[in-house]
Amino acid sequence: METERLTAEIDAARRHIDREANVRRLTERYRVGDLSTGPGEILGAALYMASIAWNYWDEPASRYEEEWKAADAVVRQRLGSRPRRIAEALLEAAETVSADFIEPVLYLAESATGVLRVTGMLTERRAANLLVQEKNAEEAVSIVTALSDPDKQLESLLVRDIELVKSVARELSPAAREQVE
């Protein structure tokens, strides 16, 4: 009995250490721009935050919130916080997806809603070798707003990149708890 308990404690400690090391590596690579360059800044930051959410999904809420806020700070530092028109921001998000990442983005956005769905629609135009302009972004925002915008993110005229990042991260990772802002 005592051996089993000690073994379980050692295993839990190892998992904790491995998780912390993994998150540290993710954060360092994100900070230097080496985590993933293919999806562009906004989607890359969302993938980073979703990864953090997945790493801490089974932790107590206070620990999870602490790590989510730390990731938020890292992303804010990198992206800045200037507000801009939502169609402009989503157009840039779709345009900065590298050619090698178009298919994975389309896969992620296939059944998405809100911000990720708009980005997917614009990326789909790129995949079809169609011109992607701001009017296309405005049209995609209108369509998705009318059909499926669960967090009402698209109803805003102005948005900060971090808001888009967190919206996509929540969509990519069911582990991203809604109460964390």
Side-chain angles (χ1 to χ4, degrees):
M1 288 289 227
E2 184 66 17
T3 303
E4 290 174 9
R5 184 186 66 75
L6 290 173
T7 300
E9 284 183 28
I10 290 170
D11 287 345
R14 282 186 181 138
R15 282 192 304 277
H16 175 75
I17 290 168
D18 289 345
R19 176 179 22 231
E20 295 300 315
N22 183 41
V23 168
R24 191 171 34 257
R25 279 190 302 274
L26 281 171
T27 301
E28 291 300 319
R29 290 190 69 196
Y30 176 73
R31 280 188 172 136
V32 299
D34 187 39
L35 187 56
S36 59
T37 56
E41 279 294 327
I42 291 173
L43 295 180
L47 289 168
Y48 164 70
M49 288 195 75
S51 296
I52 297 300
W54 277 110
N55 273 280
Y56 289 97
W57 72 271
D58 61 343
E59 289 288 320
S62 60
R63 175 77 170 137
Y64 178 90
E65 289 172 20
E66 179 183 316
E67 294 302 327
W68 179 263
K69 287 177 183 178
D72 177 273
V74 170
V75 171
R76 281 178 193 269
Q77 182 180 25
R78 181 158 173 167
L79 296 183
S81 63
R82 71 179 168 97
R84 58 185 172 149
R85 293 182 48 251
I86 195 161
E88 173 192 335
L90 294 174
L91 177 62
E92 181 183 308
E95 287 178 334
T96 58
V97 173
S98 73
D100 291 343
F101 251 81
I102 288 177
E103 190 174 338
V105 168
L106 292 177
Y107 174 77
L108 289 174
E110 186 174 47
S111 61
T113 60
V115 170
L116 186 54
R117 182 65 203 129
V118 172
T119 306
M121 291 170 74
L122 297 172
T123 305
E124 196 169 40
R125 289 185 62 83
R126 284 190 56 210
N129 292 319
L130 298 173
L131 189 59
V132 182
Q133 299 175 325
E134 195 161 331
K135 68 180 183 177
N136 305 117
E138 290 168 357
E139 182 179 272
V141 167
S142 294
I143 291 168
V144 175
T145 299
L147 298 177
S148 69
D149 185 20
D151 61 0
K152 307 296 183 209
Q153 181 73 49
L154 299 173
E155 291 179 0
S156 175
L157 296 177
L158 295 176
V159 67
R160 297 178 194 283
D161 288 346
I162 188 66
E163 295 164 359
L164 299 176
V165 166
K166 289 195 288 190
S167 178
V168 173
R170 284 187 196 103
E171 181 122 19
L172 292 175
S173 174
R177 298 179 181 156
E178 289 297 322
Q179 73 268 22
V180 178
E181 284 299 314

